[in-house]
């Protein structure tokens, strides 16, 4: 979680503790097929933006410290409105928004996308 928060702060987004906009949970959710999941638990009145985003990290799967950092980066990227990156859109394999290769940082493309969306 701390690494994901730090990666998000490399963008134009600032974060703080205790604001309640992003709720982070870790737990043994079982053999679900997912290691992390991010979703909206509270949409605004017009259903145009999310007021509370939930990040869940599934501890049922054993991972190295580096993979946990990658997962934190990836899930916090979703809170910054980033989607998954394909191999064709990340030819140097350095975005944590890729699945299955476990980079630990946002690349410049990710940072530019967050900036464009704010």
């Amino acid at each position: 979680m701390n690494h994901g928060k730090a990666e998000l702060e490399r963008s134009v987004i600032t974060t703080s503790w205790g604001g309640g906009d992003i709720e982070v949970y870790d737990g043994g959710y079982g053999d679900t097929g997912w290691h992390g999941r991010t979703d909206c638990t509270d949409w605004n009145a017009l259903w145009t933006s999310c007021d509370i985003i939930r990040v869940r990290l599934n501890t049922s799967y054993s991972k190295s410290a580096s993979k946990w950092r990658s997962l934190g980066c990836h899930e916090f990227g979703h809170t910054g409105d980033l989607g998954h990156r394909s191999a064709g859109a990340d030819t140097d394999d350095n975005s944590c928004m890729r699945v299955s290769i476990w980079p630990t940082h946002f690349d410049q493309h990710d940072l530019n996308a967050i900036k464009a969306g704010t």
Side-chain angles (χ1 to χ4, degrees), residues 61-71 102:
Y61 298 102
S62 178
K63 281 177 265 327
S64 66
S66 177
K67 285 186 177 181
W68 280 115
R69 285 190 296 277
S70 178
L71 185 61
W102 304 101

Side-chain angles (χ1 to χ4, degrees), residues 8-67:
L8 197 57
E9 289 175 344
R10 289 181 51 224
S11 75
V12 295
I13 297 173
T14 57
T15 66
S16 63
W17 294 107
D21 295 336
I22 300 172
E23 298 175 343
V24 181
Y25 303 92
D26 64 340
Y29 297 103
D31 187 11
T32 59
W34 55 267
H35 297 258
R37 180 159 278 179
T38 300
D39 59 353
C40 181
T41 62
D42 186 19
W43 288 91
N44 70 359
L46 300 174
W47 287 81
T48 56
S49 67
C50 184
D51 287 337
I52 300 176
I53 301 170
R54 175 179 56 183
V55 173
R56 291 179 286 170
L57 306 174
N58 190 350
T59 60
S60 295
Y61 298 102
S62 178
K63 281 177 265 327
S64 66
S66 177
K67 285 186 177 181

Side-chain angles (χ1 to χ4, degrees), residues 3 12 30 32 35 39 55 75-76 80-81 99 101 103 107 118:
H3 182 73
V12 295
T32 59
H35 297 258
D39 59 353
V55 173
E75 296 306 325
F76 269 79
D81 213 19
V99 294
I101 64 170
D107 67 6
T118 57

